[in-house]
Amino acid sequence: MIKWVYIEDISKYVDQEVTIKGWMYNKRSSSKIHFLQLRDGTGFIQAIMEKERFDDELFKKVKKLKIETSMIITGRVRKEDRAPGGYEIDVTSIETVQEPIEDYPISKKEHGVDFLMEHRHLWIRSKKQWAIMKIRNEVVKAIRDFFYESKFVLIDSPILTGSIGESAGNLFDIDYFDLGKAYLSQTGQLYLEAAIQSFGKVYCFGPTFRAEKSKTRRHLTEFWMVEAEVAYYRHKDNMKLQEELVVYTVNRTLKNAQPYLEILGRDTTKLLTVKTPFPRISYSEAIDILKEAGKDAKWGDDIGGDEETIISQKFDRPVMVYNYPKDIKAFYMQLNPENDREVLCDDMLAPEGYGEIIGGSERIWKYEVLLKRIEENNLPLDAYRWYLDIRKWGAVPHSGFGMGIERLVAWITGIKHIREAIPFPRTIYRIYP
Ligand code: 4AD
Ligand code: MG
């Protein structure tokens, strides 16, 4: 029996005969030789099929094979410095598994984004999309390891919820049996706040939903967020934790995902500067930066995507903008004791124009203060009974944050639009495939 191996392990099998099970994503032929480009999920390799070794009929049949034929090939592994990846395989036998029913719609020519998005179920086979997902895989693992090593407990939060987490404006609602409206979760934060009373340091990691009308390259209607919450943490502790997480994740990705970053042509020198401490500027200072840049910005304005880009361009690593006006932030944020028009929060802006990757804050922990804020925001008290309850028994100051995975991955990979940072993106225009 000849051993079935994966392409990523091929260097261990030089001069041996092995079997590879995969797909032919491209091919080139001359009269005497076929060059089959294969992938198997772990990597890419060129398989060489020499005419003289095969009967005529088989050689001709392979010439006609369509792109994306699934196949099992057996052959000898050869070190070949000129080959991408450094190895080639001399085919001794070939077996097709399925020959495509039609020509593959994605070719080497330039396709428009709409076409590619419409064919996302096929597009994820392409090398660049493969590299992005492999990097996402590393990023997620790094984040989980960071929290595990830092003794955080994973507390999965529900996706169906009765309480509005962030803002009423962009909720997806559904009819929930006899109980009225339920919502798709915008955040797991509120549930993490309950959990810290039992576990101290917790995190959740899952899909979140925003019925965003935004059509920007930074917005999805379904995105993945990792959120952390820590009992007794204040605003400053919270910002420190955020920068440690980002540095850890970027470093681990640089270490483990180098080949994938290379496929994407990412200039990784821009990621090597990501070290602590990250610069911290107040919201008011951010407004000054915008004014200096000729923007018509005044205190109280929200900071949008273009403005974030202007601010972040001043720094070679992520920057934390802290203490925003309370009127443009969520109801649960702790007021700044030194200025009650502000809240103790921060947004982390990624470099190179990737915008806000983290939003975090110290939370209101006193019962009466939170009750007042819920009323001021006209939120339905009944739905927040449990959230208020947390403040009745042994409440403590606490802080936390949420980081958007697709925005983080977009920045690390250097891709333009976050829709390529998630396997099957959901936007206001797209629910297919
Ligand atoms: O700033 P946001 O809205 O914060 C929260 O939801 C807090 N409850 C988190 C917390 O404190 N536990 O969202 C957090 C992050 C943003 O910084 C951004 O990276 C990402 O989630 N995000 C989006 N990513 C893609 N598409 C969208 N529509 C996003 N909205 C937010
Ligand atoms: Mg935010």
Side-chain angles (χ1 to χ4, degrees):
M1 261 293 279
I2 293 168
K3 197 173 174 195
W4 169 25
V5 303
Y6 284 104
I7 294 170
E8 67 179 352
D9 300 322
I10 208 77
S11 64
K12 295 182 209 145
Y13 299 96
V14 175
D15 293 332
Q16 295 180 44
E17 199 170 25
V18 298
T19 292
I20 290 175
K21 302 185 181 187
W23 297 264
M24 185 190 77
Y25 70 94
N26 220 336
K27 114 174 154 300
R28 201 155 50 78
S29 289
S30 70
S31 55
K32 293 211 178 82
I33 202 160
H34 297 316
F35 301 95
L36 313 177
Q37 261 70 52
L38 306 181
R39 62 160 205 277
D40 73 345
T42 73
F44 303 84
I45 197 163
Q46 176 161 271
I48 313 257
M49 202 175 157
E50 286 179 276
K51 187 168 194 277
E52 59 185 32
R53 295 206 196 170
F54 295 89
D55 71 60
D56 262 7
E57 207 173 316
L58 181 61
F59 193 79
K60 275 189 198 143
K61 182 187 154 183
V62 171
K63 188 179 172 72
K64 289 200 191 115
L65 286 180
K66 287 181 167 36
I67 281 174
E68 288 300 317
T69 299
S70 44
M71 58 174 62
I72 297 172
I73 66 136
T74 295
R76 273 189 104 72
V77 180
R78 187 157 43 75
K79 190 152 171 40
E80 172 53 76
D81 292 335
R82 285 168 303 173
Y87 299 90
E88 277 183 347
I89 186 155
D90 286 319
V91 180
T92 49
S93 79
I94 180 165
E95 177 197 329
T96 59
V97 179
Q98 193 230 358
E99 291 177 31
I101 296 169
E102 293 168 20
D103 284 341
Y104 192 57
I106 300 177
S107 62
K108 280 211 144 164
K109 72 166 202 252
E110 284 279 312
H111 293 287
V113 171
D114 276 348
F115 177 88
L116 291 169
M117 277 295 160
E118 193 69 11
H119 293 87
R120 182 65 175 169
H121 49 298
L122 305 177
W123 191 25
I124 51 166
R125 301 180 187 193
S126 78
K127 202 185 247 183
K128 280 197 170 170
Q129 299 305 314
W130 176 82
I132 297 167
M133 287 310 132
K134 294 284 273 188
I135 292 168
R136 181 183 168 115
N137 181 45
E138 290 295 339
V139 165
V140 170
K141 178 73 166 69
I143 291 169
R144 290 195 181 277
D145 286 350
F146 173 85
F147 283 118
Y148 189 82
E149 287 165 16
S150 315
K151 313 277 187 214
F152 281 66
V153 179
L154 173 68
I155 298 291
D156 297 309
S157 57
I159 285 171
L160 289 170
T161 172
S163 15
I164 302 164
E166 283 297 309
S167 74
N170 54 12
L171 280 171
F172 284 109
D173 59 16
I174 51 171
D175 294 323
Y176 198 78
F177 306 106
D178 297 332
L179 298 179
K181 288 282 178 218
Y183 309 106
L184 294 181
S185 178
Q186 297 173 314
T187 171
Q189 176 196 324
L190 276 53
Y191 297 95
L192 291 188
E193 289 185 62
I196 53 158
Q197 298 285 129
S198 175
F199 301 95
K201 301 199 273 190
V202 298
Y203 78 105
C204 64
F205 199 154
T208 39
F209 304 86
R210 310 261 169 111
E212 298 267 16
K213 300 271 161 35
S214 316
K215 299 165 190 170
T216 79
R217 63 195 183 92
R218 295 169 183 169
H219 287 92
L220 297 167
T221 53
E222 177 179 315
F223 63 96
W224 282 65
M225 182 156 51
V226 60
E227 297 181 80
E229 197 71 31
V230 188
Y232 292 104
Y233 260 32
R234 309 311 288 249
H235 190 27
K236 288 207 169 75
D237 308 311
N238 194 29
M239 290 202 279
K240 190 152 174 291
L241 180 64
Q242 292 164 32
E243 65 181 357
E244 282 167 0
L245 168 66
V246 171
V247 168
Y248 181 98
T249 307
V250 169
N251 282 341
R252 261 279 294 275
T253 310
L254 280 172
K255 185 162 158 262
N256 292 353
Q258 204 61 45
Y260 317 128
L261 291 162
E262 260 165 47
I263 288 173
L264 298 171
R266 177 67 166 121
D267 176 2
T268 49
T269 57
K270 296 226 165 81
L271 297 172
L272 292 170
T273 54
V274 181
K275 297 196 171 91
T276 53
F278 291 176
R280 291 151 164 78
I281 60 168
S282 68
Y283 167 87
S284 303
E285 287 171 291
I287 293 294
D288 289 341
I289 290 175
L290 294 173
K291 281 185 187 154
E292 275 164 36
K295 281 270 164 187
D296 174 25
K298 59 179 188 314
W299 200 95
D301 290 351
D302 206 353
I303 297 181
D306 294 343
E307 289 80 19
E308 285 172 358
T309 301
I310 294 170
I311 297 162
S312 67
Q313 269 162 357
K314 296 196 103 67
F315 305 97
D316 68 348
R317 63 195 74 187
V319 52
M320 290 187 265
V321 182
Y322 61 86
N323 295 6
Y324 282 64
K326 82 168 196 288
D327 292 341
I328 57 171
K329 287 292 179 187
F331 71 95
Y332 52 70
M333 292 184 183
Q334 180 80 40
L335 293 181
N336 180 1
E338 282 156 28
N339 177 352
D340 65 6
R341 292 161 67 211
E342 291 175 359
V343 280
L344 297 179
C345 72
D346 74 287
D347 280 1
M348 186 190 288
L349 313 182
E352 301 174 69
Y354 283 93
E356 179 198 330
I357 50 171
I358 290 182
S361 65
E362 192 169 313
R363 325 300 193 186
I364 296 172
W365 64 283
K366 293 208 165 128
Y367 184 89
E368 323 77 59
V369 184
L370 183 64
L371 180 63
K372 190 162 155 262
R373 286 294 282 154
I374 288 175
E375 285 168 351
E376 277 171 7
N377 281 274
N378 293 317
L379 294 167
L381 251 187
D382 201 40
Y384 290 92
R385 240 180 325 123
W386 69 270
Y387 189 59
L388 279 160
D389 261 1
I390 307 169
R391 274 88 179 156
K392 279 190 188 165
W393 294 281
V396 295
H398 59 284
S399 305
F401 64 88
M403 178 164 74
I405 298 309
E406 291 75 20
R407 291 198 192 169
L408 179 72
V409 170
W411 164 47
I412 292 178
T413 54
I415 58 176
K416 213 166 163 200
H417 199 300
I418 69 165
R419 66 190 157 205
E420 287 179 46
I422 188 166
F424 293 96
R426 300 289 176 241
T427 63
I428 45 173
Y429 300 118
R430 186 158 292 287
I431 195 80
Y432 177 95

